[in-house]
Amino acid sequence: REKNLVIGRNAVDIEYKGMDLQADYVEYNLETADIKARGNVVVEDGASILFCEELELNLRTRTGIIRKGELFLEPTYYLTGVELRRLGFDKYKVIDGYYTACQAETPAWSVKTGEAIAEIGGSLTTKNSSFQIRKIPVFYSPYLLFPLKRDRSTGFLMPKVGYSQRKGLRWKQPFFWAMSDYSDLTLTPDFQGNRGMGMEANFNYLTDENSSGTANIYYISTKSKSGRSEGGDARKKERWNVYLFQKREM
């Protein structure tokens, strides 16, 4: 131990105001509350768990730099970056990283970003990003916004992208509306390259602790394969599907 400096090696464990830090090597300044840690670093802090190779962090302000980090946020949000900068108790900046909500080793979808700002309980804002399916880039966007909330909240959900010979390229972009604590509505435009544009509306409600229900409506205007109209335009067919469900426990 040097003046105002404590050095720990081999399975170091530090607890500070609800935060737990573990690492192979730690330098802790008693006067400034600055920490330098490296080697199998794990930081549990409220709703987040951080894994990294090396970090510099001030315990009082919760600001610092994280190198080669992986951040897990409840309920199932994952952020990785060549560098993560902690900007406070609930805010991070991601440099050259990925975001996903999939737990698989190779996620079904992810977003690769040059730079992003993540606010726990708020949202993730990315710049210079590409949306990827199983690590394969699908499209690029200079700006994307994703929710990072544990509670129900109004906003866009993750898009669903796929391809089949019958439907062609398919893109579904749900929008969730938290109407109240007891009801919600999800509107989902459904683009199908070989068929046309569809729209789905899904309404869920709870009347009391024993009664709930769902109403789902799907509409699509499809391109017909039977030929063209007299004006030369492709014939279209309109299709509807309505589903109603009511549950009552006695």
Side-chain angles (χ1 to χ4, degrees), residues 34-46:
D34 287 328
I35 273 188
K36 292 182 180 180
R38 64 174 181 264
N40 300 310
V41 183
V42 181
V43 180
E44 298 185 41
D45 192 3

Side-chain angles (χ1 to χ4, degrees), residues 199-201 215-220 238-244:
M199 174 63 75
E200 181 180 15
N216 183 278
I217 301 175
Y218 184 86
Y219 165 81
I220 188 170
E238 295 185 346
R239 300 187 180 185
W240 292 84
N241 183 60
V242 179
Y243 170 81
L244 302 173

Side-chain angles (χ1 to χ4, degrees), residues 7-14 21-27 36-42 52-54:
I7 298 176
R9 296 180 175 87
N10 301 322
V12 183
D13 193 336
I14 296 177
L21 183 148
Q22 301 174 27
D24 294 337
Y25 177 89
V26 172
E27 293 182 7
K36 292 182 180 180
R38 64 174 181 264
N40 300 310
V41 183
V42 181
C52 67
E53 287 299 316
E54 184 179 353

Side-chain angles (χ1 to χ4, degrees), residues 134-197:
R134 297 192 178 277
K135 296 293 186 178
I136 300 174
V138 176
F139 73 87
Y140 166 84
S141 175
Y143 176 88
L144 290 172
L145 180 68
F146 302 92
L148 293 178
K149 298 182 179 181
R150 286 177 283 175
D151 300 326
R152 298 164 65 251
S153 59
T154 297
F156 287 100
L157 304 180
M158 283 305 304
K160 298 179 181 179
V161 183
Y163 178 84
S164 68
Q165 291 185 344
R166 185 169 70 91
K167 297 180 180 179
L169 175 66
R170 189 172 189 183
W171 176 279
K172 300 175 72 175
Q173 178 55 71
F175 178 81
F176 179 80
W177 178 18
M179 304 172 68
S180 70
D181 292 339
Y182 309 102
S183 62
D184 60 67
L185 175 66
T186 304
L187 299 174
T188 308
D190 181 10
F191 171 79
Q192 301 179 28
N194 292 345
R195 301 186 69 198
M197 176 64 76

Side-chain angles (χ1 to χ4, degrees), residues 68-214:
K68 295 183 179 179
E70 179 179 350
L71 180 66
F72 168 76
L73 304 174
E74 293 182 355
T76 56
Y77 303 120
Y78 294 89
L79 286 165
T80 63
V82 174
E83 182 177 292
L84 302 176
R85 298 177 186 174
R86 188 160 184 178
L87 306 179
F89 283 79
D90 297 315
K91 194 172 184 178
Y92 290 85
K93 184 175 184 178
V94 182
I95 306 296
D96 292 333
Y98 286 87
Y99 161 74
T100 185
C102 297
Q103 301 183 38
E105 184 175 349
T106 301
W109 64 267
S110 61
V111 175
K112 183 179 181 181
T113 179
E115 181 180 311
I117 297 293
E119 296 188 54
I120 299 175
S123 61
L124 173 75
T125 305
T126 71
K127 297 180 180 179
N128 300 323
S129 305
S130 61
F131 185 82
Q132 302 186 344
I133 297 178
R134 297 192 178 277
K135 296 293 186 178
I136 300 174
V138 176
F139 73 87
Y140 166 84
S141 175
Y143 176 88
L144 290 172
L145 180 68
F146 302 92
L148 293 178
K149 298 182 179 181
R150 286 177 283 175
D151 300 326
R152 298 164 65 251
S153 59
T154 297
F156 287 100
L157 304 180
M158 283 305 304
K160 298 179 181 179
V161 183
Y163 178 84
S164 68
Q165 291 185 344
R166 185 169 70 91
K167 297 180 180 179
L169 175 66
R170 189 172 189 183
W171 176 279
K172 300 175 72 175
Q173 178 55 71
F175 178 81
F176 179 80
W177 178 18
M179 304 172 68
S180 70
D181 292 339
Y182 309 102
S183 62
D184 60 67
L185 175 66
T186 304
L187 299 174
T188 308
D190 181 10
F191 171 79
Q192 301 179 28
N194 292 345
R195 301 186 69 198
M197 176 64 76
M199 174 63 75
E200 181 180 15
N202 191 84
F203 175 66
N204 298 296
Y205 61 91
L206 180 69
T207 54
D208 56 51
E209 62 181 9
N210 296 318
S211 181
S212 62
T214 296

